[in-house]
Amino acid sequence: MGNRGFWRELKRRHVYRVAAAYAVVGWLLIQISTQVFPFFHIPDWSVRLLVLLVLAGFPVAMVLAWAFDATPQGIVRTEPEGQPVLRRSNHGTLTIGILGVVIAAVIGAGYWWWHRQPSAAHPQALAAGSVSRAPAAGPGATTAVPDLSLPMTMAGPVAIEPKSIAVLPFENMSSDAGNKYFADGMQDMILTKLADIGDLKVISRTSTEKYQSHPDNLKTIGRQLAVANILEGSVQKAGDQVLINVQLIDARTDSHLWAQAYTRKLDNIFGVEGEVAQQIAQALHATLSQREQQKLAVKSTQNAQAYDAYLRGLAAGLNAQSTADQYRQAAGFFSDAVARDPGFALAWARLAEVDSRIYQLRYNRSTTLAADAKHAADTALKLAPDSGEAWLARAIYLYKVEADYQNAVAALTQAQQRLPNNGEVLAAFADVETRQGQWNAAIEHIDRASVTDPRNTRLLLLHSQIHAMRREFPDALAILRHALAIAPDDAALLACKASVLQAQGQLDQAQALLAPLPPAPGDPTVFKTQVMQWLYRHDYARAIRVLQDAMAQPQTSLGSDLGDYYYLLAFALQSSGDAAGAHAAYLTAQGKLEEMLKVSPDELGLTADLGLVFAGLGDKAQALALAEKAMKLEPAVLDATTGPAWQEQRARIEAQTGEKDRAIADLALLLQTPYASAFYGTAITSALLRQDPAWSSLHGDPRFAKLADGKTASHE
């Protein structure tokens, strides 16, 4: 067949028409996928896969068009020229083109299904070690291991949305290193403005603070944060002049999208963060509501000194590792800001938050501080009734100071409507909901917060602790594996994982995690996990020595955790057989706890600890009365996380004072109750009953043996 005959045959067999139809249908599929897939959070790679499938399907469609045609009688083989053929349908060309696309899609989908890796995002899948494996390739072959540090939720990996952005720490370009606070504060201010825009996904500062200002691996960082865009910046402050440089980069392609330099004097810098946010929104094609446009234009203060003090407070970057002095320093900066500008609503809101956290962390439990926190929260809301930050400050005050969870939820609802990207609001919801016993809602809110705060290990720690309170240990361990992939040396995460292992009776595995950690009495969660491990293994000498060292150091900000230390020291001496030493330690503990209760009479932890001390001294009536007081003041119906812990304290007293029937009844109920123990790091389990010497007086009772065997503990 000559060239002319070949091209004529292509035309006769409608190959040209099929090619044109295929191109139209393929183009439409690609256009639809690029618009629709992101809406349903379908990963970007699926669009690329579809493009490849359309290209791969083209030769398939051409072969089908050459060999077959669609007729009224169905699809038939095309006969060579000169032989009779059935009359073709007008729709045959389009049908074969579409058929080619469909076949290509089916082939590609089958290939993807065959080679796919099971999702490791759901904790149950992670707990089971669900990882796809390539066929064995002989000795030395390696298996594909998923990167557990990448963002994930209970539903699966976090999709990278086109309108997502992370703001990296700003570089301090000033000659004075002391101006770093100004760069940190400006980053936080711009981030806060961006987070007000509902059409954007904005990553929280806690997930970006450990990155460098201008890193080389933007694509990696984009994957680690699940964002498409990254904002870099630098700040140079000299005298009363400030130069701010910012640039927006597409993390997927490492291409620059927008850049701008802002030169301002300190007395005219107010509102620059709103300008930056406005231009970023335009560059990312984000839609702004009228309310959002108004909020971006708001200048929170026009007092240069108040603004400077506020930036210093923001730069404190308070987190779970912050000390009491750091919290007090931040509060001092915000107090200075509102003193210089009493109309500075945002500074009042921050002051209310910090004061409320100081109160909740027991760094200061005075009625004066509680009143100051309330005044700051009320003032912020009065000055800016439409401010999401003001509503959040009110919510934090309500649940951290007043324990008014119902009204806190109402305030958080108002805050969420105004702060659509704020992970702190979602985390606060989760905290309140656990105390209300709404466990599933709390887990859902924590999971959602992980989308905008994917590398916040404190958030992941809380997530795992909620599962541990419910004795959902595989889920807790899966989340901890994810968190430790991000921060492998984090002592709090390692201790939490050890406590979960302890709760399941896996003491050797827990020991492997705890052994490298130095005793840390300043971190009660870690320290008590270490002490309990020594008690479980009957290493009383080590527990006594470390507790005595802790008592010899000034620990002014531990509150009821310090009361736990005093009790545990006396109990360790008692368990070691040193009756005289134990009695002396119990007397010392009594004096210290009574002294602490004079300063903080509402500290239920101290009240319960004093009850345990009286039990050690043999005063059963006084011990039980104090336990009952703690249970009455904070029952489980008021606080589902800590309320049952007071019942556990009562059971300890009952076991030590010979009230076996009552102790076993309390333990049977506790084994079915989700809560946070004061000593275990999880809810009580059958394994902990077997390991903890606190329950040794109950050994030999068949009812206790049944509990310790796990026959009534459904979650273990």
Side-chain angles (χ1 to χ4, degrees), residues 25 236 660:
V25 173
Q236 185 174 6
K660 289 187 177 182

Side-chain angles (χ1 to χ4, degrees), residues 319-364:
N319 54 48
Q321 285 78 39
S322 297
T323 64
D325 289 341
Q326 288 173 310
Y327 272 93
R328 295 187 184 108
Q329 184 183 48
F333 287 133
F334 292 134
S335 294
D336 186 25
V338 298
R340 296 178 183 278
D341 180 2
F344 197 166
L346 199 55
W348 281 110
R350 299 293 187 190
L351 178 60
E353 289 184 29
V354 175
D355 280 350
S356 298
R357 294 184 190 281
I358 290 174
Y359 186 91
Q360 184 255 345
L361 291 169
R362 302 184 179 91
Y363 296 153
N364 181 347

Side-chain angles (χ1 to χ4, degrees), residues 9 26 180 306 344 407 450 471 539 608 622 626 628 666 682:
E9 187 68 7
K180 184 178 184 301
F344 197 166
N407 285 320
S450 297
R471 302 181 182 85
D539 189 356
Q622 185 79 321
L626 289 170
E628 296 287 351
D666 276 342
T682 68

Side-chain angles (χ1 to χ4, degrees), residues 182-195:
F182 201 89
D184 292 343
M186 286 306 305
Q187 177 218 7
D188 198 290
M189 291 290 281
I190 292 171
L191 182 61
T192 298
K193 287 291 188 180
L194 285 172

Side-chain angles (χ1 to χ4, degrees), residues 440-494:
N440 291 332
I443 290 173
E444 181 183 351
H445 274 119
I446 284 287
D447 207 39
R448 288 171 55 193
S450 297
V451 175
T452 55
D453 209 352
R455 298 182 75 80
N456 184 347
T457 55
R458 298 306 99 188
L459 200 62
L460 294 169
L461 179 63
L462 176 59
H463 197 171
S464 65
Q465 288 171 336
I466 294 174
H467 285 294
M469 285 188 267
R470 286 161 57 95
R471 302 181 182 85
E472 296 167 347
F473 298 130
D475 289 348
L477 288 172
I479 294 165
L480 286 167
R481 279 196 292 272
H482 174 43
L484 286 167
I486 297 171
D489 299 323
D490 190 298
L493 294 174
L494 292 168

